[in-house]
């Protein structure tokens, strides 16, 4: 049983929930202008985990054929037989129902939003077969996290949450471009669409940098629109340095892609969240 739990954790890369979860709580803290309560915290954590489990498992299920021919992914539990396709489908359905149920428990808006959110989360795997813009769909999948967070607290979607969403969208799309550099030849061979396979390495690096500039622009709009204080501006400055360092690591050596993707981006979300807490503490 313990081994099966480990296999499912590896399937969805559970430890990487850290990418989206801080931005849910940034939105919730901003909407509440402080602590939003233990109940919403619990519901938010469960909803975030179930949504990500659904998205990752659906991606692994849909991409089994392609993952089996990619040296980087051929040892995933979805490919090597540790988790059967039927078990993945049960896991996908279970997490979808949990996410919808959490939305129902929180408020009507979250319940209604749960269905289109799941549709967007599932669409990424299919978009890779249709368009190089799939990276932006992945960005939107994580960018919807702050939208869900603010809807949970306030039952509405203010403009500042849209700016925060756009920032996350381009942040994720930007670092996904760097990650996709590893699979250029595989994507071309399998007929999958990606910006690296369509536009080449150097153009991809510049597009990624442009996306990250858009990230900083939209996060600045979020800070202004939400009337946040000086600590959020410091957080934005730190994020600027982190994104610059990430771009430097990858442009210097592609062997640094895992470090840039997992380490730098993981810390960025946590640090931005930390400055959000500090901002609210010193303003209240």
């Amino acid at each position: 049983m313990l081994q099966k739990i480990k296999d499912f954790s590896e399937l969805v890369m559970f430890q990487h929930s850290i990418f989206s979860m801080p931005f849910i709580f940034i939105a919730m803290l901003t909407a509440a202008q402080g602590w939003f309560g233990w109940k919403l915290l619990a519901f938010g954590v469960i909803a975030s985990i179930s949504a990500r489990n659904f998205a990752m498992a659906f991606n692994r299920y849909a991409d089994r054929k392609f993952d089996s021919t990619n040296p980087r992914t051929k040892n995933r539990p979805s490919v090597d037989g540790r988790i059967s396709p039927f078990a993945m489908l049960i896991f996908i359905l279970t997490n979808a129902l949990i996410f919808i149920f959490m939305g129902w428990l929180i408020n009507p808006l979250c319940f209604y939003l749960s269905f289109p959110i799941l549709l967007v989360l599932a669409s990424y795997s299919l978009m890779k077969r249709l368009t190089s813009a799939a990276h932006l769909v992945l960005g939107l999948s994580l960018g919807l996290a702050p939208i869900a967070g603010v809807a949970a607290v306030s039952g509405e979607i203010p403009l500042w949450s849209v700016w925060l969403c756009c920032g996350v969208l381009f942040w994720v799309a930007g670092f996904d471009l760097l990650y996709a550099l590893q699979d250029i030849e595989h994507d071309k061979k399998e007929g999958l669409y990606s910006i690296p396979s369509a536009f080449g390495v150097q153009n991809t690096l510049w597009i990624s940098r442009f996306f990250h500039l858009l990230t900083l622009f939209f996060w600045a709009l979020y800070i202004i629109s939400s009337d946040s204080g000086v600590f959020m501006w410091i957080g934005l400055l730190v994020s600027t340095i982190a994104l610059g360092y990430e771009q430097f690591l990858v442009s210097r050596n592609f062997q640094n892609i895992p470090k840039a993707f997992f380490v730098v981006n993981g810390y960025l979300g946590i640090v931005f969240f930390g400055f959000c807490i500090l901002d609210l503490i010193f303003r209240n």
Side-chain angles (χ1 to χ4, degrees):
M1 181 63 179
L2 182 60
Q3 184 57 50
K4 188 60 67 175
I5 293 174
K6 290 181 178 179
D7 290 339
F8 273 102
S9 177
E10 182 181 343
L11 177 78
V12 299
M13 301 178 75
F14 183 77
Q15 67 273 27
H16 297 150
S17 299
I18 198 170
F19 289 145
S20 61
M21 198 172 290
F23 289 93
I24 294 176
F25 296 122
I26 287 171
M28 294 174 78
L29 286 171
T30 304
Q33 285 299 292
W35 178 235
F36 44 79
W38 291 106
K39 184 175 80 170
L40 279 182
L41 174 65
F43 288 169
V45 169
I46 295 171
S48 175
I49 291 174
S50 60
R52 190 177 182 282
N53 284 347
F54 168 84
M56 291 294 293
F58 187 90
N59 178 264
R60 298 293 189 256
Y61 178 83
D63 281 0
R64 286 170 295 150
K65 171 190 171 185
F66 303 115
D67 287 346
S68 66
T69 60
N70 188 339
R72 187 177 62 81
T73 59
K74 65 181 181 179
N75 294 321
R76 285 175 173 171
S78 52
V79 177
D80 63 14
R82 281 179 286 163
I83 300 177
S84 69
F86 179 74
M88 278 189 282
L89 285 174
I90 296 298
F91 186 76
I92 291 167
L93 179 60
T94 300
N95 279 281
L97 291 174
I98 291 172
F99 181 69
I100 293 169
F101 181 59
M102 286 298 106
W104 180 77
L105 287 177
I106 294 171
N107 61 43
L109 178 59
C110 287
F111 175 68
Y112 296 134
L113 284 175
S114 66
F115 298 98
I117 286 175
L118 288 176
L119 183 63
V120 172
L121 294 178
S123 66
Y124 166 66
S125 298
L126 306 179
M127 286 296 174
K128 289 184 291 185
R129 295 154 171 79
L130 302 173
T131 173
S132 297
H135 307 279
L136 293 170
V137 177
L138 178 64
L140 179 61
S141 297
L142 274 75
L144 289 172
I147 297 291
V150 71
V153 172
S154 63
E156 59 183 12
I157 303 174
L159 182 60
W160 61 258
S161 67
V162 176
W163 300 141
L164 184 58
C165 166
C166 290
V168 174
L169 186 161
F170 285 107
W171 169 52
V172 173
F175 70 64
D176 188 57
L177 287 181
L178 300 179
Y179 197 68
L181 289 169
Q182 302 172 103
D183 295 331
I184 291 179
E185 297 306 320
H186 176 263
D187 289 346
K188 289 180 179 178
K189 178 182 176 182
E190 295 293 343
L192 293 173
Y193 291 88
S194 71
I195 285 177
S197 64
F199 296 100
V201 173
Q202 290 304 316
N203 286 330
T204 296
L205 290 173
W206 282 111
I207 295 170
S208 175
R209 292 162 188 162
F210 176 65
F211 281 0
H212 282 166
L213 285 174
L214 288 177
T215 296
L216 300 170
F217 171 73
F218 282 117
W219 282 349
L221 287 181
Y222 148 70
I223 294 171
I224 294 169
S225 298
S226 61
D227 291 325
S228 296
V230 65
F231 280 100
M232 288 306 294
W233 288 108
I234 297 173
L236 184 65
L237 175 61
V238 174
S239 298
T240 303
I241 295 170
L243 291 176
Y245 179 58
E246 176 180 344
Q247 293 289 341
F248 168 75
L249 282 176
V250 175
S251 63
R252 185 178 182 183
N253 191 327
F254 284 3
Q255 296 297 320
N256 292 325
I257 289 176
K259 179 180 179 181
F261 185 83
F262 298 120
V263 179
V264 177
N265 289 303
Y267 280 117
L268 187 153
I270 294 173
V271 168
F272 206 52
F273 176 53
F275 278 107
C276 180
I277 293 174
L278 287 172
D279 194 67
L280 288 169
I281 289 174
F282 285 94
R283 286 170 61 203
N284 297 329

